[in-house]
Amino acid sequence: MSEKKNWIPAFAGMTRRAAGMMLALVACLFAPAAASQTYPSKPIRIVVPYPPGGFNDTLGRTLAAKFSEAWGQPAVVENKPGGNTLIGSEFVAKSAPDGYTLLVVAFPFSVVPSLFKTMPYDTVKEFAPVSLAAQSPNLLVVNPALPVKTVGELIAYAKAKPGTLSYASTGNGSSNHISMELFKNLAGVDIVHIPYKGSAPAVTDLLGGQVLLMFDNTPNVLPHVKSGRLRALGQSGTTRGALTPEVPTVAEAGVPGYEVTVWFGLVAPAGTPREVVDKLNGEVRRILAMPDVREKFAAQGVEPVGSTPEQFGAHIREQMAKWGKVVKDAGVKPE
């Protein structure tokens, strides 16, 4: 009761409207701290704009399990594939900015805006970056039925039979789509694009011979390379991956200047309280430093990478500028 009496003099003599405005200001001052202290107080939904089976899904489920352990609230993954990731991304962009609906983003998040004249959301303005989470090269793999064993042999084969080879991707603007389009542009070859709705169906058809080659995230194809069902010709990064030291980079295998590094991260809807974003950021970075998580990711050829929200925001903008130019220069069109 004493606290209520202490407020009375502060509002004495004010009009009802002025007093209401003052109370609203006080509430705003204390709301962020309250949000941070009570978050999370209900289940968290992590949207993955891809089908189950790829590393995007692995990242989402890893974070969900660790969030649940740390905070005692359920955290679940909801796969919303389709529309070149636009369906799941738009869903999160339009969700309440309270930290209870999050989005796993990856390389395509920064490329898709350059492919479409109209977008259902603004990539920069409608999302709050939380943290960069991981990075990995793509592997250039072929079905063993294709009689090539090096990048040079692939280029020679493609030039001898222009337009007859087809490659799979996980959709327009995906890292494997852009990886191959950049390869085609720099190597001067004509290979037909066959987009799929995710890595699992694309790799299934690659194994079955319906398509004969693709770039894909290392964890998605490495088991098939090790079993001999696929042949790795090159990797897209600037250095050889720790799990594939015998596979040259595409640049050193004969395509100078070639480089594509695949990345993954987490964002929230724009307007999410900064204190909630910071709490999520701290937890994501703590999870990425866990030995079991690092071992799990390393086994798939993925390097955990944490960042501040500002660093991740700058990374997204830099990637948008970089790949927007590549899309324009290579004449990549949505199909």
Side-chain angles (χ1 to χ4, degrees):
M1 294 295 291
S2 60
E3 286 187 7
K4 290 184 178 180
K5 289 181 180 180
N6 289 338
W7 283 99
I8 293 175
F11 295 100
M14 285 187 178
T15 64
R16 182 173 296 178
R17 181 180 179 185
M21 291 175 66
M22 181 63 75
L23 284 169
L25 176 60
V26 171
C28 287
L29 292 173
F30 285 97
S36 176
Q37 291 171 4
T38 60
Y39 178 87
S41 58
K42 61 180 182 179
I44 298 170
R45 173 169 47 185
I46 301 177
V47 174
V48 176
Y50 300 91
F55 184 76
N56 300 277
D57 192 59
T58 298
L59 174 61
R61 294 183 188 281
T62 299
L63 294 177
K66 297 297 186 180
F67 284 169
S68 297
E69 290 176 9
W71 291 332
Q73 289 288 346
V76 298
V77 167
E78 187 171 329
N79 296 91
K80 286 185 175 292
N84 298 294
T85 73
L86 297 183
I87 293 174
S89 299
E90 181 185 12
F91 177 83
V92 175
K94 309 305 182 188
S95 295
D98 54 13
Y100 291 98
T101 304
L102 307 171
L103 177 70
V104 170
V105 294
F107 182 94
F109 189 68
S110 61
V111 178
V112 168
S114 64
L115 288 175
F116 298 95
K117 292 182 178 179
T118 58
M119 291 277 290
Y121 55 82
D122 187 301
T123 304
V124 173
K125 295 180 180 178
E126 293 192 56
F127 294 95
V130 174
S131 179
L132 182 65
Q135 63 184 20
S136 172
N138 274 334
L139 285 182
L140 172 57
V141 292
V142 301
N143 185 296
L146 187 63
V148 299
K149 295 184 178 181
T150 67
V151 169
E153 290 180 1
L154 172 62
I155 293 172
Y157 186 96
K159 286 185 175 180
K161 299 182 178 183
T164 60
L165 280 178
S166 58
Y167 78 91
S169 85
T170 57
N172 290 293
S174 61
S175 68
N176 33 50
H177 177 211
I178 297 302
S179 291
M180 187 62 80
E181 290 300 319
L182 181 60
F183 177 83
K184 287 167 55 180
N185 187 47
L186 294 179
V189 294
D190 179 13
I191 305 174
V192 179
H193 179 212
I194 308 295
Y196 289 79
K197 294 182 178 179
S199 178
V203 173
T204 296
D205 274 9
L206 177 62
L207 293 169
Q210 284 76 20
V211 289
L212 292 177
L213 69 158
M214 73 180 295
F215 277 95
D216 202 2
N217 301 164
T218 298
N220 299 343
V221 293
L222 186 58
H224 303 300
V225 171
K226 291 185 176 296
S227 70
R229 299 184 69 193
L230 293 176
R231 181 183 299 135
L233 305 186
Q235 42 194 321
S236 68
T238 56
T239 59
R240 300 188 182 198
L243 295 182
T244 52
E246 73 287 356
V247 181
T249 67
V250 172
E252 65 181 324
V255 188
Y258 186 93
E259 183 271 324
V260 180
T261 299
V262 185
W263 55 268
F264 309 87
L266 189 71
V267 300
T272 299
R274 179 56 196 242
E275 289 72 17
V276 171
V277 170
D278 286 343
K279 190 167 186 177
L280 283 164
N281 175 269
E283 187 59 24
V284 169
R285 295 172 77 173
R286 187 183 75 84
I287 291 169
L288 294 174
M290 291 180 173
D292 63 320
V293 172
R294 298 188 72 84
E295 182 178 348
K296 178 180 181 180
F297 286 12
Q300 300 183 62
V302 178
E303 177 189 1
V305 183
S307 74
T308 66
E310 288 77 18
Q311 289 169 336
F312 189 29
H315 177 77
I316 291 171
R317 293 190 296 273
E318 182 272 331
Q319 289 283 291
M320 289 177 67
K322 175 179 178 178
W323 297 114
K325 184 178 186 303
V326 170
V327 166
K328 181 179 179 181
D329 292 347
V332 180
K333 304 292 183 183
E335 299 171 26

